[in-house]
Amino acid sequence: MVQTEAPSRVAELIEPTRVHSRLYYDRTIFDEEMRKIWHRTWVYIGHESEVPNPNDYVTKSIGPTPVLLVRDRQGEIRLLLNKCPHRGNQLCAYKQGNRATFTCPYHSWTFANTGELMGYALPDGYEGVSKAGVSLGKVARIGIYRGFVFGSMAEEGPTLMEHLGGAKAALDQLCDNSPTGEIELTAGFLQHRTKANWKFMLENETDGYHPGFVHSSIFQVTKSGIANLYGKDSTALTRDYGNGHTEFDLRPEWRRLDTPLKWFGTSEERLPEYTAAMKAAYGDERARQIMIDGSPHTMIFPNLFIAEIQIFVLQPVAVDETIQHVTAVQFKGAPDINRRLRQQTMGSVGPAGLLLADDTEMYERNHRGALIHDPEWLVLSRGLHRERTDENGFRVAHSTDEVPQRGIWRHYLSLMQE
Amino acid sequence: MDPMLAEKPVDLAALSPVDLHHRVAQFLYHEARLQDTHAYDAWEQLWEDDAIYWVPANGHDTDPERQMSILYDSRSRIKVRVEQLKTGRRHTQTPRSELARLISNIEVAAVEGAEVSVRANVLIYEDNLRGETIWAARNDYRLRLVEGAFRLVRKKVGLVNNARPVFTLSFLV
């Protein structure tokens, strides 16, 4: 029997410029999000470079559910659920490896890395029972764009390209910073356990209002000019791409400064190999523009955050607990910039990060605050009076305005009401 | 300077195993106390210029030059880390974690010239706004005897659970 979803109560909790605290701590809403968002929309799983060879696999996730990202022996990407269809045992206990088959340790049923059952142990007990159709669960749809592997648990729905919409440009911008047009995620992920609801992270990734305060300590110590990007006179923009995707667009500031690699706090002279490779790949003029514009700061709903030089993956595991997975972007064929990308990433993010430890402190305080019943409503009205649309029709406003957060909730509401 | 550490120059190779072990243990306890009490400047001063302060992730034999680590600080980054703590706006340490750590299973692994390699197990109790957290680690140290006192050249904090998600680690570990 098909279960009909009861009408969602969240419509009462979301208004255009304020949201109710209950959205962050109510377990029934979390369960509803799992069904209506995480098990339906496109969710980022992993990157093709994490499984470079046939039979490579790595354990990823969709929310609390582990997902095996596999490259099968034919080289095709598969997304398998880590559950033996016999007695439900966890099939693979390792984070990554290379194997053509998976054997359940419980009763030794063996599966090809395409998910199909290869054989029963002691097959005399299954006389006349067909193996056909017995397989591991699969993520219903796989979509890949420029090496980024997304999965949707829904058989039908918008295509990945329809889902990405305008935010596709951010993936292009990121990959254009590589002289080969390809990025790799080969340095391993830090896993930052966070006692807070996932939406605090989703909203904060493109919040330009907080850095000048939350990160003032490190800006001061490193004499960083970054704080100016989040100041009153900044020309940087916040953007709502629709479909829940949001951006903090620094290009207006970098173009004003008109200096290649300024975005990364360095210069062409200090990265001669990278600069030469970029010019050879794109021509002087285009390479110069790419190196001025830099890499994007874009949150792709619901879990992929491109933080210029890092990839963050948000994994909600409970209403009050989220894992932030993070690694350094590596530009294929650019060793001199890659080392710097790793060093800067290790310094700034992860559990000991000079930046992210403070963000995470805010997430956990946000969550504890949400549990306090008065006031119930949280405010997202900043910059409403100066919202406008850009040349592509997307909402934009000042770098500190809450355009992204309003956009996230607009999309969230539409998914939860369907 | 701790009186135990300010003795006249000594030759490590000439020390009895018991004496060497005692001096190493005293140094590790001294460092632990500076960390537990957030004595940032005094702790920073323990480090040599060629320092490496390393907390690996995803195992204990990763290559920190290729793979992500939770923390992989040079001497200059150690200074930045300490300076940030001292601003009073390192929010994750405002208020500061309450800490007590136990160091045990201290083994002198090797002596080479003025340097000694040491292994020890550490158990750290942390209390902060989130709640209580226990950290367990197998540590490796490289200490250098300079003017009669040990200094830190290399410290590797091998959190036993470093392949799994861990909470914010913003105190000096």
Side-chain angles (χ1 to χ4, degrees), chain B residues 1-10 23 26-27 30 46 145-151:
Chain B
M1 180 61 75
D2 189 304
M4 287 305 299
L5 307 173
E7 294 178 11
K8 62 182 188 296
V10 285
R23 285 166 188 262
Q26 290 300 308
F27 176 79
H30 175 66
L46 296 178
L145 197 66
V146 180
E147 294 172 1
F150 278 128
R151 294 173 59 76

Side-chain angles (χ1 to χ4, degrees), chain A residues 43-48 69 77 79 142-145 147-151:
Chain A
V43 175
Y44 174 69
I45 307 289
H47 195 267
E48 283 202 77
L69 168 61
I77 296 289
L79 298 178
I142 299 174
I144 304 176
Y145 185 68
F148 289 81
V149 179
F150 295 80

Side-chain angles (χ1 to χ4, degrees), chain A residues 54-55 71-76 78 113-114:
Chain A
N55 300 329
R71 189 182 290 279
D72 71 20
R73 68 178 76 198
Q74 263 73 50
E76 197 176 329
R78 307 272 182 171
N113 62 6
T114 55

Side-chain angles (χ1 to χ4, degrees), chain A residues 22-55:
Chain A
R22 177 174 292 279
L23 291 158
Y24 299 98
Y25 67 77
D26 186 319
R27 283 177 171 74
T28 63
I29 292 174
F30 181 80
D31 293 343
E32 191 180 335
E33 289 170 352
M34 287 299 125
R35 293 192 302 278
K36 294 182 172 178
I37 297 174
W38 293 85
H39 288 181
R40 194 177 66 178
T41 193
W42 288 100
V43 175
Y44 174 69
I45 307 289
H47 195 267
E48 283 202 77
S49 61
E50 296 179 74
V51 285
N53 305 307
N55 300 329

Side-chain angles (χ1 to χ4, degrees), chain A residues 95 186-189 191-193 213-214 216-217 220 339 342-343 346 351-354 358 364-365 368, chain B residues 58 65-69 77 81 83-84 87 89-92 94 129-130 163 165-169:
Chain A
K95 204 143 109 182
T186 48
F189 279 79
Q191 302 172 82
H192 195 166
R193 189 177 172 197
F213 313 106
V214 173
S216 67
S217 61
Q220 175 195 315
R339 181 173 192 280
R342 292 192 300 271
Q343 292 293 336
M346 282 190 280
L354 302 174
D358 286 325
E364 294 182 342
R365 294 188 194 187
R368 293 195 295 273
Chain B
N58 301 312
E65 290 291 332
R66 310 294 307 178
Q67 299 297 115
M68 287 291 107
S69 293
R77 193 170 274 168
R81 194 172 292 281
E83 291 295 322
Q84 186 189 25
T87 61
R89 282 174 283 113
R90 174 60 160 165
H91 300 287
T92 169
T94 316
L129 292 178
R130 187 197 322 103
V166 297
F167 284 128
T168 292
L169 181 60

Side-chain angles (χ1 to χ4, degrees), chain A residues 232-247:
Chain A
K232 183 172 164 294
D233 298 325
S234 172
T235 59
L237 297 169
T238 45
R239 176 173 290 112
D240 168 14
Y241 274 122
N243 288 351
H245 313 313
T246 59
E247 183 166 78

